[in-house]
Amino acid sequence: MTKSARKSRRPPPKGYDEVKPTLDAFAERIEELSGVSSEETTWKMFQLLHQRSRYIYEMYYRKHAISKELYDWLLKARLGDPLLIAKWKKQGYENLCCLRCIDTGSIGGKTTCICRVPKGSMTATDDDVKTIRCRPCGCRGCASGD
Ligand SMILES: [Zn+2]
Ligand SMILES: [Zn+2]
């Protein structure tokens, strides 16, 4: 059982056993990264948390493979980020990497993070595009249509 699952008071609803192996694998990789502090690790950590939220989102909203009860339970157990998932439901934010990339306050006055700019509308050269990573989470581009 994962740390976060242990913390929640209610026992997991039916269906949890089916998502558990995937969530446990995520928990393991996240645990491995915690304790190491470098920019690269922070990005990797971000990606894992993102993928885990994404997994829950897809299981519920796309594949309809888990119940509302289980979905709510997973979010309560902090296995997915409800704010991020709320964004994915909006048009234009389907691939959003993290909330910090649209929080204009945290990226030094810029209106949108570089990763939110569709590649097609970039004026940068190909080489620039390849090396683009946003500071908060190391995303290489998450605009819809990329
Ligand atoms: Zn991004
Ligand atoms: Zn981001």
Side-chain angles (χ1 to χ4, degrees), residues 95-98 101 113 115-116 134 137 139-143:
N95 301 314
L96 181 69
C97 55
C98 75
C101 284
C113 180
C115 69
R116 299 289 307 151
C134 74
C137 64
C139 168
R140 288 179 187 276
C142 61

Side-chain angles (χ1 to χ4, degrees), residues 54 87-88 90-96 102 116 144:
R54 195 82 199 176
K87 292 286 177 201
W88 290 337
K90 291 191 187 154
Q91 218 198 346
Y93 291 92
E94 295 95 338
N95 301 314
L96 181 69
I102 51 165
R116 299 289 307 151
S144 317

Side-chain angles (χ1 to χ4, degrees), residues 24-126:
D24 280 355
F26 274 122
E28 229 165 79
R29 290 169 67 194
I30 289 165
E31 199 118 312
E32 271 167 31
L33 288 180
S34 58
V36 193
S37 67
S38 71
E39 194 163 58
E40 196 71 20
T41 320
T42 312
W43 287 343
K44 269 192 204 145
M45 183 81 96
F46 242 105
Q47 279 156 21
L48 285 172
L49 294 173
H50 173 106
Q51 284 163 16
R52 190 168 63 173
S53 294
R54 195 82 199 176
Y55 171 70
I56 294 170
Y57 164 81
E58 297 209 334
M59 286 302 273
Y60 182 62
Y61 285 102
R62 299 268 163 111
K63 298 185 184 152
H64 307 285
I66 59 174
S67 66
K68 172 92 171 81
E69 197 194 359
L70 179 55
Y71 173 76
D72 286 342
W73 187 91
L74 292 170
L75 293 193
K76 259 206 186 113
R78 293 173 172 276
L79 292 164
D81 183 343
L83 296 173
L84 193 55
I85 290 175
K87 292 286 177 201
W88 290 337
K89 289 189 271 176
K90 291 191 187 154
Q91 218 198 346
Y93 291 92
E94 295 95 338
N95 301 314
L96 181 69
C97 55
C98 75
L99 291 164
R100 275 200 274 171
C101 284
I102 51 165
D103 170 12
T104 51
S106 69
I107 34 178
K110 269 199 255 164
T111 42
T112 342
C113 180
I114 189 80
C115 69
R116 299 289 307 151
V117 180
K119 297 231 167 45
S121 69
M122 267 185 199
T123 47
T125 65
D126 284 355

Side-chain angles (χ1 to χ4, degrees), residues 119 122 124-133 140:
K119 297 231 167 45
M122 267 185 199
T125 65
D126 284 355
D127 271 1
D128 284 341
V129 173
K130 260 180 245 153
T131 54
I132 281 169
R133 302 195 96 173
R140 288 179 187 276

